[in-house]
């Protein structure tokens, strides 16, 4: 099939700085693309126009959603079905399992194939999986394909009831031209961490590991990029450990700013863990971007990171919550720019071979086209 089909991409939010992978799908997937958003309830097009045209219908929808806490809302399902039919949509690509579950009935009524892309919390967060259990079951029965971003997630989806022959392991990719190999041979002892300040990224573990590094190398520095519910707690920890002059909490930065930071770094660090509610990573795009740029990665044996980082070859991996283990990996790199260069170049090769955005998108395109009868 050629790329002349119409693809409707449905995503949770209109925009989010941490969801660069969603934007990559919008920009790069084949087909004539339409985009809808609105949490797990897709009700707006990309021009902010509601799918539910009637004022009373919209009020009914909001009442059922916000007051009655319903998930099966006929007026929303009917509006989406009509949209899919009116726009002659050939396939729907749903970002996140909750979104896929919510649009399953409309896709079924419109006789439109559905492909669902899972990313992490939609598979691992226990309360989310429990809340959407019945809708997930419907999605597993109807959808044509389920995209996982790690081998661990493939097994979890099978446990949840997704048909094994419909599951594809297709992690997010990175534009290796946009994140070229940096020369870190003369880099200072600078470490970079990027991501939301949430439990599964354990920013406090990164700070505590860096404290051990800083005690050995007083000129070492750490940049932490991002925001989130644990930001203030992390800031307080930095103060308690007297690291204010060595740790920069940079807040949210755009891609250009991040690329400039990378040029002055020795390594990338991320201490991903399983959160108390079961939430886990998929395959963090920031890890892929850093590795594409030639930064060795110090991280944990967690979800898709185990595939993206080869321990001792492209970086160092340690057990979740092993702060000293992370610190020792950072210390090795702080003490040897040559080792950092060697691991970083190996990481670049690993990303080029296995995570190049063109090959990742080509795989998704083939899965979507296969779903269209």
């Amino acid at each position: 099939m050629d790329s002349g089909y119409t693809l409707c991409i449905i995503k949770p939010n209109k925009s989010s700085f941490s969801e660069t992978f969603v934007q990559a799908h919008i920009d790069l997937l084949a087909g004539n693309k339409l985009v809808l958003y609105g949490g797990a309830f897709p009700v707006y097009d990309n021009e902010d126009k509601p799918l539910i045209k009637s004022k009373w219908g919209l009020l009914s929808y909001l009442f059922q959603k916000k007051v009655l806490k319903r998930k099966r809302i006929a007026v929303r399902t009917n509006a989406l079905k009509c949209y899919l039919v009116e726009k002659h949509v050939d396939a729907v690509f749903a970002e996140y399992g909750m979104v896929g579950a919510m649009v399953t009935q409309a896709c079924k009524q419109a006789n439109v194939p559905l492909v669902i892309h899972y990313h992490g919390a939609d598979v691992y967060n226990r309360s989310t999986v429990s809340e959407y259990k019945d809708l997930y079951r419907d999605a597993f029965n109807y959808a044509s394909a389920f995209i996982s971003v790690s081998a661990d997630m493939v097994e979890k989806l099978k446990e949840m009831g997704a048909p094994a022959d419909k599951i594809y392991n297709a992690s997010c990719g990175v534009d290796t031209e946009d994140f070229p190999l940096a020369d870190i041979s003369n880099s200072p002892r600078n470490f970079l961490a990027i991501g939301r300040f949430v439990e599964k990224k354990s920013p406090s573990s990164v700070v505590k590991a860096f404290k051990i590094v800083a005690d050995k190398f007083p000129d070492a520095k750490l940049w932490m990029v991002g925001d989130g519910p644990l930001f203030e707690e992390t800031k307080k920890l930095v103060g308690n450990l007297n690291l204010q002059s060595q740790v920069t909490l940079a807040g949210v930065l755009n891609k250009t700013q991040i690329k400039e930071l990378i040029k002055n770094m020795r390594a990338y660090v991320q201490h991903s863990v399983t959160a108390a509610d079961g939430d886990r990573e998929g395959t963090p795009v920031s890890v892929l971007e850093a590795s594409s740029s030639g930064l060795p990665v110090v991280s944990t044996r967690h979800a898709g990171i185990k595939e993206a980082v080869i321990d001792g070859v492209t970086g160092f991996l340690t057990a979740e919550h092993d702060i000293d283990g992370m610190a020792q990996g950072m210390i090795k790199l702080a003490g040897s720019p040559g080792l950092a260069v060697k691991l970083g170049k190996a990481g670049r090769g690993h990303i080029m071979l296995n995570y190049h955005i063109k090959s990742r998108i080509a795989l998704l395109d083939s899965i979507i086209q296969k779903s269209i009868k």
Side-chain angles (χ1 to χ4, degrees):
M1 177 177 292
D2 61 32
S3 59
Y5 58 89
T6 298
L7 176 67
C8 181
I9 298 175
I10 306 180
K11 61 176 184 169
N13 310 300
K14 186 174 183 182
S15 62
S16 174
F17 82 92
S18 63
E19 294 180 340
T20 55
F21 45 85
V22 174
Q23 191 58 48
H25 295 159
I26 293 171
D27 293 339
L28 300 174
L29 283 172
N32 305 309
K33 285 162 289 191
L34 304 170
V35 180
L36 301 178
Y37 73 95
F41 301 80
V43 289
Y44 299 99
D45 65 19
N46 214 36
E47 296 179 349
D48 299 325
K49 296 177 181 176
L51 300 190
I52 302 171
K53 307 300 183 184
S54 160
K55 175 183 176 181
W56 294 112
L58 193 56
L59 288 173
S60 172
Y61 158 73
L62 292 172
F63 178 77
Q64 292 182 72
K65 175 188 175 182
K66 295 182 179 297
V67 179
L68 301 181
K69 307 297 182 183
R70 289 178 179 169
K71 289 182 171 55
R72 299 181 188 272
I73 303 177
V75 65
R76 176 193 55 80
T77 295
N78 186 63
L80 178 56
K81 179 201 74 173
C82 292
Y83 177 89
L84 298 176
V85 172
E86 176 189 343
K87 298 295 184 180
H88 303 289
V89 170
D90 295 297
V92 166
F93 188 82
E95 301 280 4
Y96 293 92
M98 299 85 76
V99 175
M102 294 304 303
V103 306
T104 295
Q105 191 60 31
C107 290
K108 186 175 182 179
Q109 291 180 12
N111 194 31
V112 172
L114 170 62
V115 175
I116 305 175
H117 199 306
Y118 297 84
H119 293 285
D122 46 3
V123 173
Y124 294 117
N125 184 291
R126 285 188 291 272
S127 62
T128 296
V129 172
S130 176
E131 183 181 354
Y132 286 87
K133 182 179 180 180
D134 293 340
L135 290 172
Y136 270 28
R137 188 182 301 114
D138 293 344
F140 292 154
N141 288 332
Y142 177 76
S144 301
F146 309 98
I147 312 298
S148 164
V149 293
S150 72
D152 284 2
M153 188 181 289
V154 169
E155 296 307 311
K156 185 63 177 177
L157 283 169
K158 290 178 184 177
E159 290 177 18
M160 292 166 61
D165 61 344
K166 292 184 179 181
I167 304 174
Y168 298 83
N169 186 1
S171 73
C172 298
V174 58
D175 184 342
T176 57
E177 287 73 36
D178 204 20
F179 286 87
L181 182 66
D183 179 6
I184 63 171
S185 57
N186 295 310
S187 59
R189 296 184 176 98
N190 292 344
F191 295 88
L192 175 64
I194 303 172
R196 295 195 70 237
F197 283 61
V198 293
E199 185 183 358
K200 69 179 176 182
K201 294 186 184 292
S202 193
S204 64
S205 295
V206 174
V207 174
K208 290 173 183 177
F210 177 74
K211 171 62 175 173
I212 299 173
V213 178
D215 285 345
K216 185 174 180 64
F217 296 102
D219 62 336
K221 288 182 167 49
L222 169 67
W223 272 260
M224 301 184 74
V225 177
D227 202 350
L230 298 182
F231 185 89
E232 290 302 322
E233 177 183 307
T234 306
K235 183 177 180 180
K236 183 178 180 180
L237 176 63
V238 169
N240 290 342
L241 296 178
N242 296 313
L243 292 172
Q244 299 95 320
S245 64
Q246 292 169 275
V247 176
T248 300
L249 300 177
V252 177
L253 300 181
N254 61 38
K255 184 170 68 174
T256 299
Q257 293 170 315
I258 289 172
K259 287 164 66 176
E260 285 301 311
L261 268 182
I262 286 174
K263 294 176 182 179
N264 200 40
M265 294 294 147
R266 177 70 57 87
Y268 180 85
V269 293
Q270 182 162 322
H271 199 101
S272 296
V273 301
T274 302
D277 60 8
D279 193 10
R280 306 180 73 197
E281 301 272 17
T283 297
V285 174
S286 56
V287 168
L288 304 181
E289 292 174 344
S291 202
S292 175
S293 303
L295 294 185
V297 176
V298 184
S299 191
T300 50
R301 297 185 188 93
H302 175 93
I305 297 172
K306 300 193 300 288
E307 299 162 62
V309 179
I310 305 173
D311 189 23
V313 178
T314 71
F316 297 111
L317 296 179
T318 189
E320 295 182 22
H321 303 292
D322 183 359
I323 292 169
D324 185 67
M326 167 165 261
Q328 294 311 309
M330 295 169 71
I331 286 170
K332 289 178 184 178
L333 296 169
S336 175
L339 177 62
V341 169
K342 178 184 176 181
L343 270 58
K345 286 183 176 178
R348 168 75 176 182
H350 181 56
I351 296 299
M352 290 284 289
L353 185 62
N354 298 286
Y355 293 92
H356 196 293
I357 190 65
K358 290 181 180 178
S359 64
R360 299 290 87 192
I361 292 295
L363 177 56
L364 293 182
D365 280 333
S366 68
I367 294 169
I368 293 167
Q369 292 189 31
K370 184 180 177 183
S371 76
I372 301 173
K373 309 301 182 185

